[in-house]
């Protein structure tokens, strides 16, 4: 709800006049004198966002990299893009960014290889600094060497493995075909004695009996090989088709799977022997084999040859096994050494890339041979940046020092609230509604206590508050471990980032629970109740219920701390305090209705002059309305008229204006001091000429809103009562229906019943009363803050300060990866 | 309508120390302002909350409505046993 922007009232967000410039310079000089050494940024006041300065950096190209690196470590500078019209590929440091990309690619490959072998990558907690140019070259060479080494190792491993596979398959073939040939040999023997025929054998026999008996195998060609099990049916069919049934296939499945060298998958294979006659069929069979990726081997026909070959193959397999193991060990060693450095390297490369991206935002001033950059810096950090630039220049050893120049501007600076781990949660709650305008009052400061307090009013049970406190305390005490662990669960992360809020909410809930005298819906009697009963005879047995009379049964001294425990037993359900009655009382109050009931000896008023006081307050509040309505527009009108008078009496000419302004200043009335603040801006920009009518309309709307909100917001706070009542009733119902049933048993078996009853009661307590009610109270408290508190003054149109910070960049990249 | 002096003094004194005296003695550091505000706000809100509850019980217009069993138990446990 800005009326012509907040510029008109000269709040601290436009310090662009000459006086402020002088002040800033004095301030900076005093800073520089006091703190020569670079100091880490301090916690500023949380009441308003920090003062920001737009600075121009003039950096030597040699020193630029290290200067930006140290600024990234500090995380207090937000660079502006001075090259927004330049294509991303035409910027100055594009080649360096490409180098970083290349390094990242190598790192990704190495990481993939390390993960493939399941080598553990240790997490480093310390982030290494960005490497300087010399270290970059070292890093590049190192990565190059590592990458080529791993590539070579992989390649060799694949070769070795395929060799190994061939040998293994050959061994299997030799072993299995032995049985094939044995059979046919036996059959042949058999056949020579008795011409019996049965099943498969007849096929073999048929082939054999066509030719002469001894030299059968010589005429019968065969191909022995190995094919993967899933291809066998197709393979068989194809062989049958191309040979028109003249090929005979014998196969035996291999029990263990064999490892594929390229992918590492284990495949089940089958040994086969295909018998055929003639050379043509042989070539066809071989073609089919290659089509089905079946490997075939030269299997000698004679038994003795096969045995020799088998022995040779076995020894070769053993040798190859040795070599494979050694290669594997070597690879593991290389990968383990690399894995240790991997995290550090990737952090360094990411930092490098971020630095070069930032350097790309700078402008190269060709004549002066230096890089010019613009950035937003918090005013209190400007000396730190100056120191950083000086250090960077000295380290590189350049003759011309880099320097920083604070420039005046009318642009809206970003909003920067320096927070620590405690205040950050509360600041997030406020920023979710809207980021505060520059130098606006920051509600987060008060939210630290008002939020848990209002939550406590609505939650109000010491037992449940204790559960919350324990949960919050657990997270806070273990926060180091949890921040390092990086858990992926979204719900846990939400709870963990709000751990201080939860802890405070729990503590306040315990306090309000004590005041409400509610511990898991039971009251505790510490100080002795102020209510007592005086019974003179036994007539009490005839009356089922009796209401105690405060004049008689009350000892006139209130229970010292909280609600008297006697109220827990009270069965008063309908009372003057229930809902419709409260609202009606409230509305009557607004309408200024007098209580016409006059029940003696009760007075209609609480103290003597209450009537007159009420009238006075009402008149004061009514008088405020025209002030709200007309005050701001009238002020604007008067100040505008004064400004116009001033402008007509001054020439047009930028430089002269300031001098003449100063002259006028000495003569002017002190109240016009404020108007001078926006004079330079008036000449620099076009006049923000707002029609008076618009301002009036704005003001009318605001006044109506504000007056209405006095009633509506006050009524809205009734939710505090409503939610606390709901919570108390829920916990009482849970007690009465669940736990009380477990405690009523009179025998020992009741202990088992109590065991289960307590379990149920605890589950419901945590699920419904703590979690659900807690979330509900949290939400209502948030609404009370956002609407009933902040709508009265909060503008919230700022944009957040997004500094160039390595920590933030690394965190966001890690979040993206997961 | 009455109020006993001791509880009022004690509670007011406690929150007074927390909210007025303690903030003056905080160590000088970057967080001094925030801690001072936290202490003052806590003391103010908690004391007010207690005060509302206390003052609401100073002049009760109505007493609790109790079952006769509760009344008998109260008489027995809290004093004033029934005299027949």
């Amino acid at each position: 709800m800005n009326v012509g922007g907040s510029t008109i009232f000269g709040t601290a967000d436009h310090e662009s006049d000459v006086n402020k410039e002088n002040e800033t310079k004095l301030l900076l000089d005093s800073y520089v004198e006091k703190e020569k050494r670079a100091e880490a940024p301090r916690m500023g006041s949380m009441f308003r966002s920090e003062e920001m300065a737009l600075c121009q950096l003039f950096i030597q190209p040699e020193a630029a990299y290290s200067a930006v690196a140290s600024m990234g470590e500090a995380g207090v500078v937000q660079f502006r893009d001075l090259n927004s019209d330049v294509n991303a590929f035409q910027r100055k440091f594009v080649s360096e960014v490409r180098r970083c990309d290349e390094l990242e690619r190598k790192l990704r490959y190495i990481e993939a290889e390390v993960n493939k072998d399941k080598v553990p990558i240790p997490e480093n907690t310390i982030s290494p600094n960005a490497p300087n140019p010399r270290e970059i070259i070292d890093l590049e060479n190192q990565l190059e060497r590592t990458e080529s080494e791993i590539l070579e190792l992989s390649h060799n491993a694949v070769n070795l493995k395929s060799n190994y596979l061939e040998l293994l398959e050959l061994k299997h073939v030799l072993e299995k075909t032995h049985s094939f040939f044995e059979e046919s040999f036996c059959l042949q023997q058999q056949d020579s004695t008795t011409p019996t025929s049965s099943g498969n054998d007849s096929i073999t026999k048929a082939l054999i009996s066509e030719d002469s008996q001894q030299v059968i195998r010589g005429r019968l060609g065969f191909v022995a090989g190995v094919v993967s099990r899933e291809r066998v049916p197709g393979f068989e069919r194809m062989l049958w088709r191309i040979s028109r049934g003249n090929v005979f296939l014998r196969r035996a499945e291999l029990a263990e799977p064999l490892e594929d060298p390229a992918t590492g998958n284990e495949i089940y294979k089958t040994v086969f022997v295909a018998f055929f006659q003639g050379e043509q069929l042989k070539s066809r069979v071989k073609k089919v084999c290659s089509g089905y990726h079946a490997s075939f081997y030269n299997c000698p026909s004679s038994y003795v040859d096969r045995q020799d070959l088998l022995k040779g193959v076995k020894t070769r397999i053993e040798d190859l096994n040795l070599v494979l193991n050694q290669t594997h060990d070597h690879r593991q060693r290389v990968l383990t050494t690399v894995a240790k450095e991997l995290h550090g390297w990737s952090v360094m490369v990411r930092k490098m890339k971020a630095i070069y991206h930032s350097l790309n935002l700078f402008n190269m001033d060709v004549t002066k041979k230096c890089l010019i950059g613009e950035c937003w810096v918090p005013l209190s950090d400007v000396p730190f940046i100056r120191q950083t630039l000086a250090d960077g220049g000295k380290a590189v050893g350049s003759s011309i020092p880099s320097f920083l120049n604070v420039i005046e501007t009318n642009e809206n600076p970003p909003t920067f609230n320096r927070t620590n781990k405690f205040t950050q949660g509360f600041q997030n709650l406020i920023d979710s509604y809207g980021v505060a305008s520059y130098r606006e009052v920051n509600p987060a400061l008060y939210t630290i206590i008002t939020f848990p307090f209002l939550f406590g009013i609505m939650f109000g049970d010491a037992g449940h508050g204790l559960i919350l406190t324990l949960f919050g305390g657990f997270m806070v005490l273990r926060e180091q471990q949890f921040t390092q662990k990086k858990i992926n669960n979204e719900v846990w992360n939400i709870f963990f980032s709000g751990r201080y809020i939860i802890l405070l909410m729990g503590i306040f809930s315990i306090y309000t629970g004590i005041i409400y005298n509610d511990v898991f819906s039971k009251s505790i009697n510490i100080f002795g109740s102020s209510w007592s009963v005086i019974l003179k005879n036994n007539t009490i047995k005839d009356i089922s219920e009796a209401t105690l009379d405060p004049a008689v049964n009350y000892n006139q001294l209130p229970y010292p701390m909280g609600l008297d425990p006697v109220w827990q037993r009270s069965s008063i359900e309908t009372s003057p305090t229930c809902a419709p009655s409260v609202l009606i009382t409230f509305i009557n109050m607004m309408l200024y209705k007098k209580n016409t009931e006059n029940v003696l000896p009760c007075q209609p008023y609480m103290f003597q002059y209450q009537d007159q006081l009420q009238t006075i307050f009402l008149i004061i509040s009514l008088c405020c309305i025209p002030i709200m309505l007309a005050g701001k527009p009238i002020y604007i009108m008067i100040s505008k008229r004064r400004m116009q008078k001033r402008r007509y009496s001054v020439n047009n000419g930028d430089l002269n204006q300031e001098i003449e302004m100063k002259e006028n200043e000495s003569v002017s009335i002190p109240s016009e001091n404020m108007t001078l603040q926006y004079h330079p801006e008036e000449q620099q920009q076009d006049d923000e000429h707002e029609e008076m009518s618009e301002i009036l309309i704005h003001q009318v709307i605001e006044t109506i809103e504000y007056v209405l909100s006095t009633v509506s917001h006050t009524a809205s706070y009734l939710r505090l009562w409503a939610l606390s009542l709901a919570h108390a009733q829920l916990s009482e119902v849970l007690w009465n229906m669940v736990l009380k049933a477990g405690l009523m048993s009179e025998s020992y078996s009741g202990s088992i019943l109590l065991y289960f009853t307590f379990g149920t009661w605890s589950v419901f307590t945590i699920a419904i009363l703590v979690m659900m009610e807690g979330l509900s109270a949290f939400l209502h408290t948030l609404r009370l803050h956002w609407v009933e508190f902040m709508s009265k003054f909060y503008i919230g149109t700022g944009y957040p300060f997004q500094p160039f910070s390595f920590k933030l960049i690394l965190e966001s990249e890690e979040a993206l990866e997961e | 309508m009455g109020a006993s002096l001791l509880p009022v003094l004690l509670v007011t004194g406690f929150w007074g120390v927390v909210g007025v005296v303690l903030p003056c003695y905080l160590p000088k550091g970057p967080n001094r302002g925030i801690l001072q505000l936290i202490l003052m706000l806590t003391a103010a809100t908690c004391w007010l909350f207690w005060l509302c509850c206390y003052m609401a019980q100073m002049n009760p217009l109505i007493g609790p409505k109790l079952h006769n069993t509760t009344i008998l138990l109260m008489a027995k446990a809290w004093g004033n046993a029934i005299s027949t």
Side-chain angles (χ1 to χ4, degrees), chain A residues 586-587 589-591 617-618 620-625 628 701-718 783-784 787-789 791-792:
Chain A
F586 188 65
I587 294 171
M589 214 164 68
M590 290 284 116
L591 295 175
F617 280 140
L618 194 60
I620 293 178
S621 65
L622 283 174
C623 286
C624 286
I625 296 183
M628 272 196 280
I701 296 174
E702 269 196 38
T703 311
I704 295 176
E705 260 195 55
Y706 200 86
V707 169
L708 283 180
S709 73
T710 55
V711 181
S712 87
H713 290 178
T714 315
S716 185
Y717 276 102
L718 281 172
R783 177 249 153 73
L784 279 178
V787 179
E788 273 77 21
F789 177 44
S791 74
K792 294 185 161 82

Side-chain angles (χ1 to χ4, degrees), chain A residues 56-71:
Chain A
Q56 255 182 339
L57 301 166
F58 294 85
I59 317 186
Q60 297 308 310
E62 312 92 58
Y65 181 85
S66 53
V68 174
S70 39
M71 283 192 245

